[in-house]
Structures are given as C-alpha cells and as structure tokens.
Amino acid sequence: MSDTEQFDLDAYLERIGWEGGRRADLATLRGVHLAHALSFPFENLDAWSGRAPSLTSADLMAKMVRGRRGGYCYEHNTLLRLALEALGLGVTGLAGRVVLGAETVESRPRTHMMLRVEVPGDPQPYLADVGFGAAGALLQPVPLTAGEEFEGAGRRHRLVHLPHGGPLELWALQAYDRDARDWVSQYAFTLEPFFAPDYEVINWHIGTNPRSPFTQRPYLQRTTPERHLALDGARLVETRADGTVIERKLTDEAEARRVVEEEFGIAVPEGLTLLR
C-alpha cells in the first residue's frame, strides 16, 4: 500500500474540525491551512527522547490524527501535503534556512520544510506552512509574490527577495513585530523542489544530532484564536491576542507534565522526562 493510500482524508478533516467544502480551490486551501494550524501543537518530544520521528503516512495518522500528539515541521507539512493532494491541489516541497535569531542568512543549513501550492485554474502559486514553531508563523497561506503585505488570522506577513550569490531567487518570509514596529525575517528559501528522501535525511539530522536544538530541550508551541503558548525548556511564555506577554518558569516535572497535557493538549509519551 502506498503512503498516499494510507492517508485517511476523512479522519484528518474531522481531527482539524474542517466542515467546509472539499473543492480544490483557494477557500479550501485557506480554511484547511488555518484549521490545521489551530488544531495541532508544534512539539519535538520524539527528538527530545532521542529518536527522529517517522514521516510515513501511517505513523503520522496514528500519532497526530488519532493520537493526542503534535509534531515539528516535517511532520506537520508532510501531513498537510497529503491532505492538499487528496483534495486535488498541486503541491511541491521546499526547504529553507531559519534566519530568525541568526547572525546571517548563510549561518544555518536548510532544515525547515514548507510547501508551494498550486490551485487549479489559478495562475498564482501560494506558500503554505503549518510547521514553523514560532509566533511569526503563517496561519494562512500567502501568495508567492514579493513586496506585498498580507494579513491572515490576525498576523501580518510579506515575502521579499534577498540578495545572494546563487542562481535562483532567494525569498524570505517576514512577519511584522508589533513591539519592534518592524518586519522580521523568519526563514529564507529558493523554489528548488525537495522530495521525500531529502526530508528523511534532514529529519534524521535534526532529530538525532546532539547539537540540534530539538535534541537538547523540549520545545512546544500552540496557537489558538486567543493566545500563543510556547514552552522552551522550562520557560513558559503566553502571548495573548492583545499583545500581553506572561512568562514564568516551570519548577518541577509534575507541573511540566500537567502544562504539556492540559495546556498544549499533548499526551506525554510514557517514560519521557520533560525537565532534566
């Protein structure tokens, strides 16, 4: 049985609460993208436990759709890709360098997965990404157009071209930071296609390399219409819709497990210690 045949579109749409249409159009793309982003948490508990997560359709269905788990970018965007293709949309995998917090665009490898989506009858391709674990992540897809501002589900984004020495145009997704009153680059990418074997290699590196940030501490995110919740190690940060930020440190394992299970909606794997 192929990976596509193992994907259950009905179960996926029920899990994200999507009751809209199933036409291969922009409204469906936007609605499914937003519903996914608000339904699944971002989390790295597999990598934190010492193993790279599986990217097979059957395992993603078991973990994220039928289990109380989330995932990181390869899991989220592989699952979204399966759904969009099942709905009749054209999807190409991309990879980018996370530049948020980096010294230069070139200082980090291409380890982030995102998607280029084509809607039948629409000459405009779109950037879709439900797996970026940061408050500047997309909640809805944006047209692959440089220089225009887009607002989706309360967040402002734009795509720009950055100078570089390569033969392909370098794109950067930027999010508007209300506190800094400025645009902040999140990641940079070209439109070179990436395929399943590419992501398998990157996933193994990110999920097992002892120098990877995802193997060094728990890193969780959850977005709802009311707030964005982030757990980085023992530091819990809540950013409310009005911009209010509340931060505190989790003090013990019992509190950490309660927060992860109740606030993030994640079933902590048996035997996993969150705080070490």
Side-chain angles (χ1 to χ4, degrees):
M1 182 179 293
S2 71
D3 212 41
T4 301
E5 290 173 329
Q6 293 176 334
F7 176 73
D8 186 337
L9 180 62
D10 290 338
Y12 169 83
L13 294 179
E14 181 179 359
R15 172 66 177 83
I16 66 173
W18 175 248
E19 298 179 348
R22 298 192 182 192
R23 294 173 57 87
D25 57 20
L26 182 56
T28 300
L29 170 61
R30 286 175 170 165
V32 169
H33 191 290
L34 178 60
H36 182 121
L38 298 181
S39 297
F40 294 110
F42 180 100
E43 51 111 327
N44 69 323
L45 296 187
D46 283 355
W48 174 235
S49 67
R51 65 181 186 277
S54 170
L55 302 183
T56 68
S57 176
D59 289 338
L60 291 174
M61 290 294 298
K63 177 182 178 180
M64 297 179 66
V65 175
R66 299 191 173 98
R68 294 181 58 244
R69 292 289 303 277
Y72 58 16
C73 70
Y74 317 114
E75 298 169 278
H76 277 279
N77 284 321
T78 298
L79 189 60
L80 179 65
R81 177 175 189 163
L82 290 166
L84 297 181
E85 289 178 336
L87 289 165
L89 296 160
V91 185
T92 301
L94 304 174
R97 306 177 191 275
V98 177
V99 297
L100 182 64
E103 294 182 4
T104 66
V105 173
E106 299 82 8
S107 62
R108 290 175 179 164
R110 285 203 273 184
T111 58
H112 179 60
M113 177 184 182
M114 72 285 292
L115 306 172
R116 180 184 184 272
V117 181
E118 294 181 351
V119 177
D122 186 344
Q124 172 66 64
Y126 295 84
L127 176 69
D129 182 6
V130 290
F132 190 56
L138 291 174
L139 294 180
Q140 291 187 322
V142 295
L144 263 169
T145 302
E148 295 185 24
E149 297 182 18
F150 306 99
E151 183 167 350
R155 294 183 180 179
R156 291 171 60 190
H157 291 90
R158 70 180 183 184
L159 289 164
V160 299
H161 287 146
L162 300 179
H164 78 132
L168 301 178
E169 287 184 322
L170 184 64
W171 297 74
L173 176 72
Q174 297 185 332
Y176 187 76
D177 186 322
R178 289 185 296 182
D179 293 333
R181 297 184 179 181
D182 197 8
W183 291 94
V184 179
S185 291
Q186 307 296 299
Y187 51 78
F189 62 97
T190 67
L191 298 183
E192 177 187 359
F194 274 61
F195 303 97
D198 301 315
Y199 296 124
E200 287 288 348
V201 171
I202 304 170
N203 177 49
W204 181 84
H205 165 76
I206 291 297
T208 62
N209 190 323
R211 293 193 296 175
S212 165
F214 290 129
T215 64
Q216 297 178 12
R217 65 195 187 281
Y219 186 76
L220 288 69
Q221 306 268 331
R222 186 180 182 189
T223 299
T224 70
E226 297 79 26
R227 65 178 182 171
H228 179 82
L229 200 62
L231 180 64
D232 188 346
R235 187 170 65 97
L236 181 68
V237 180
E238 176 186 359
T239 304
R240 296 178 178 172
D242 63 1
T244 302
V245 177
I246 302 173
E247 181 176 339
R248 66 186 177 92
K249 185 175 181 180
L250 305 183
T251 58
D252 56 45
E253 182 69 16
E255 182 186 25
R257 293 182 75 88
R258 182 191 63 77
V259 167
V260 169
E261 295 194 359
E262 296 180 6
E263 300 293 329
F264 289 89
I266 294 172
V268 179
E270 186 175 351
L272 178 66
T273 300
L274 292 168
L275 303 183
R276 302 174 190 171

